[in-house]
Amino acid sequence: MKKFTPPEQFQPSLLASGAFAHLNHLFKLNIHNDWPDFVWLNSLNNIKNSQGLAVQFEPDPVFQDEERYYEQIIYETGRIPTREQNWHDLFGAMIWCLFPKTKALLNKRHIDEINQHGLKQRSKHRNALTLFDECGVVLAITDDTVQAQLRAHKWQSVFIERRTQWGNNIHPFIFGHANYEMLTQPFIGLTGKVLCIKVEDSFAALSLQDQYAVLDDLLCEQIIEQGVLDDNKQMSPLPLLGVPNWYDDNKNSQFYDNTDYFRVKRVFKKEV
């Protein structure tokens, strides 16, 4: 698989797939004809970091003489170094607006780990924080068996047999901003890391904005109380192009026959 290269230009057509529906609905991202500016970014939400400081997105060159690490800058000042005309950082800002409590918590957890282990030594917890931050997907489910099927790589069951449940009883929410970046030019092999969160049946009736608020609270609760990001073990792979309405080719059920992408679960036998 060749190295992914993001598009250099901002094109609304790149945001046309269902994977970007939430950003287009809540932020009207697809009505922009050019890269959004910092005034627009900073007008989206009243966000605070874990220190209670107002979060502000600022051009990366402002920090060229900064000696602190990226996460330290955010934690100590609330200012987020943001590259201009950059998909990765644009989507990173969107996730701060959608999951402000969880992003602030992840930032604090990074600082706690840095204080304990230093910048060079990366713990299992910090690796999990980074993986989820870049590639995470939150799946709001009303049926626990969905999570079991995902862990077992029962792709036919999840994507074909349950297809009508997506958007009704199964609700996908992208957390990892690298997922969004790569979905601007989707390719076979694109896979996220999913955390499933059990929600009430009434979740589907909430507005999209309220759904994000509920998930933001539940995510923080599970990270703090259940340790879902203590390591990578509670996340499982999710082939992103298999999510209904996110990729046109998956309307044909034969799309899921590609076992190089929708891989069978590997079983490791213990030595006797």
Side-chain angles (χ1 to χ4, degrees):
M1 185 174 65
K2 67 179 183 179
K3 183 180 179 181
F4 174 80
T5 303
E8 293 184 2
Q9 304 297 322
F10 185 93
Q11 301 173 46
S13 60
L14 299 175
L15 308 172
S17 82
F20 298 98
H22 290 183
L23 302 187
N24 294 333
H25 177 76
L26 293 174
F27 303 123
K28 304 295 187 290
L29 188 59
N30 58 336
I31 71 170
H32 289 263
N33 293 317
D34 203 351
W35 295 98
D37 59 28
F38 284 90
V39 173
W40 182 80
L41 278 179
N42 287 313
S43 70
L44 294 180
N45 211 331
N46 182 22
I47 313 166
K48 297 185 183 298
N49 71 0
S50 61
Q51 299 283 80
L53 299 172
V55 166
Q56 290 287 311
F57 305 103
E58 298 188 17
D60 197 58
V62 172
F63 302 90
Q64 60 182 353
D65 297 324
E66 179 62 64
E67 296 182 355
R68 287 172 294 187
Y69 182 64
Y70 175 80
E71 298 289 350
Q72 292 172 316
I73 297 171
I74 298 172
Y75 181 76
E76 294 175 9
T77 71
R79 302 162 68 198
I80 301 181
T82 305
R83 290 168 291 185
E84 298 179 83
Q85 301 186 3
N86 181 279
W87 288 107
H88 193 82
D89 286 10
L90 171 62
F91 292 131
M94 301 285 95
I95 300 302
W96 265 100
C97 295
L98 294 170
F99 292 98
K101 295 179 182 178
T102 305
K103 287 289 288 185
L105 175 61
L106 264 56
N107 174 239
K108 184 180 185 303
R109 287 296 180 98
H110 273 291
I111 297 303
D112 292 343
E113 292 295 297
I114 289 170
N115 290 340
Q116 182 176 352
H117 302 287
L119 280 170
K120 293 183 179 180
Q121 182 180 346
R122 295 187 65 92
S123 64
K124 290 182 179 180
H125 182 36
R126 195 164 165 220
N127 284 336
L129 294 171
T130 300
L131 182 62
F132 186 66
D133 200 28
E134 295 285 341
C135 305
V137 178
V138 178
L139 212 59
I141 58 174
T142 59
D143 181 353
D144 287 329
T145 60
V146 176
Q147 182 174 14
Q149 290 174 340
L150 283 169
R151 289 187 176 277
H153 293 195
K154 301 293 185 182
W155 308 122
Q156 300 283 328
S157 298
V158 171
F159 290 130
I160 298 178
E161 294 173 16
R162 292 182 179 269
R163 192 170 187 86
T164 59
Q165 296 181 25
W166 287 80
N168 296 303
N169 306 105
I170 305 172
H171 306 269
F173 296 80
I174 291 177
F175 188 94
H177 49 289
N179 287 339
Y180 270 131
E181 179 183 27
M182 289 185 283
L183 281 163
T184 60
Q185 293 191 150
F187 55 90
I188 298 298
L190 179 52
T191 301
K193 288 292 186 177
V194 68
L195 279 179
C196 290
I197 293 184
K198 187 77 174 291
V199 295
E200 302 292 335
D201 291 339
S202 57
F203 180 84
L206 297 175
S207 69
L208 185 58
Q209 190 169 12
D210 286 343
Q211 288 179 349
Y212 271 99
V214 168
L215 292 178
D216 197 19
D217 286 336
L218 291 175
L219 257 179
C220 288
E221 179 183 311
Q222 292 198 10
I223 292 168
I224 295 170
E225 298 181 8
Q226 300 179 28
V228 294
L229 292 181
D230 284 356
D231 54 37
N232 293 334
K233 293 180 180 178
Q234 294 200 49
M235 290 183 281
S236 55
L238 181 72
L240 297 182
L241 304 192
V243 175
N245 302 316
W246 280 12
Y247 191 63
D248 284 345
D249 287 0
N250 73 34
K251 293 176 181 177
N252 186 334
S253 61
Q254 292 181 344
F255 178 74
Y256 299 98
D257 293 338
N258 181 352
T259 54
D260 287 333
Y261 186 29
F262 300 97
R263 296 182 178 181
V264 175
K265 180 76 172 182
R266 295 176 65 184
V267 178
F268 296 94
K269 295 182 179 180
K270 294 183 179 180
E271 294 184 4
V272 180

